[in-house]
């Protein structure tokens, strides 16, 4: 199975997750080393100030980060177990609901993707620091995050 077909299968599985359905997170771009997702806020996503609830921004960022962490290794997914170990987010500005949709962009360098692939093929555990930037529809940054993705060889 080629990488594009594997990517389509990953995206199909992504859309079945309850959290993704609740938030309405959509895939915008999924390529090796890059994942962009968006969320158009609904009334149930907003806090008392009319901003996206902080937990949903965290979830949007985590979704982008974990997608980026697998973006260059989709063809090796059968050999790996991937989980987020931790995450940190800094809220930079109000995420006003009326300024949606919000974009979360996560990018990893080609060198990091190459090293990750080599580590997986060498059966070595990896920890990746995966950055994410969230912007509103005007392009204004509203949050910056970093997640640690742990990639381990799948247990036999």
């Amino acid at each position: 199975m080629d990488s594009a077909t594997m990517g389509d299968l990953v995206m199909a599985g992504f859309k079945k997750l309850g959290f993704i359905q609740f938030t309405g997170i959509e895939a915008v771009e999924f390529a090796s080393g890059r994942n962009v997702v968006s969320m158009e806020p609904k009334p149930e996503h907003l806090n008392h100030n009319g901003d996206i609830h902080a937990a949903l921004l965290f979830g949007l960022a985590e979704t982008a980060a974990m997608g980026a962490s697998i973006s260059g290794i989709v063809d090796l997914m059968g050999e790996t177990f991937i989980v987020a170990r931790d995450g940190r987010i800094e809220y930079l500005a109000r995420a006003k609901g009326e300024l949606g949709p919000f974009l979360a962009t996560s990018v990893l360098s080609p060198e990091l993707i190459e090293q990750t692939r080599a580590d997986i093929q060498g059966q070595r555990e990896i920890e990746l620091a995966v950055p994410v930037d969230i912007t509103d529809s005007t392009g204004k940054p509203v949050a910056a995050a970093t997640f640690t993705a742990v990639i381990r060889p799948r247990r036999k």
Side-chain angles (χ1 to χ4, degrees):
M1 185 177 311
D2 68 14
S3 172
T5 303
M6 287 291 291
D8 290 342
L9 289 174
V10 168
M11 291 289 102
F14 163 83
K15 288 186 174 231
K16 291 180 182 179
L17 299 173
F19 179 77
I20 300 304
Q21 291 175 6
F22 170 74
T23 59
I25 293 174
E26 294 282 336
V28 174
E29 182 182 350
F30 184 75
S32 183
R34 184 172 173 84
N35 189 37
V36 181
V37 294
S38 70
M39 186 179 84
E40 180 69 57
K42 301 173 190 161
E44 60 268 28
H45 299 151
L46 304 179
N47 65 19
H48 63 286
N49 294 318
D51 301 335
I52 295 179
H53 195 285
L56 291 179
L57 287 173
F58 187 91
L60 179 65
E62 190 269 349
T63 301
M66 294 311 289
S69 73
I70 66 166
S71 66
I73 61 166
V74 172
D75 59 319
L76 301 175
M77 293 289 292
E79 301 170 38
T80 62
F81 174 80
I82 300 171
V83 65
R85 187 189 69 189
D86 57 35
R88 182 187 184 299
I89 190 165
E90 181 180 359
Y91 302 102
L92 304 171
R94 290 181 62 188
K96 296 177 183 179
E98 72 266 12
L99 293 179
F102 291 82
L103 287 179
T105 303
S106 184
V107 179
L108 299 174
S109 72
E111 297 79 20
L112 184 57
I113 296 294
E114 278 183 46
Q115 183 60 54
T116 299
R117 292 183 63 78
D119 287 340
I120 289 170
Q121 292 165 335
Q123 296 287 301
R124 291 181 292 276
E125 184 173 315
I126 310 154
E127 289 193 7
L128 300 176
V130 187
V132 181
D133 293 308
I134 300 177
T135 58
D136 65 19
S137 62
T138 71
K140 179 182 178 181
V142 297
T146 303
F147 289 83
T148 303
V150 177
I151 304 173
R152 297 183 193 130
R154 190 170 291 281
R155 292 184 180 134
K156 307 280 184 214

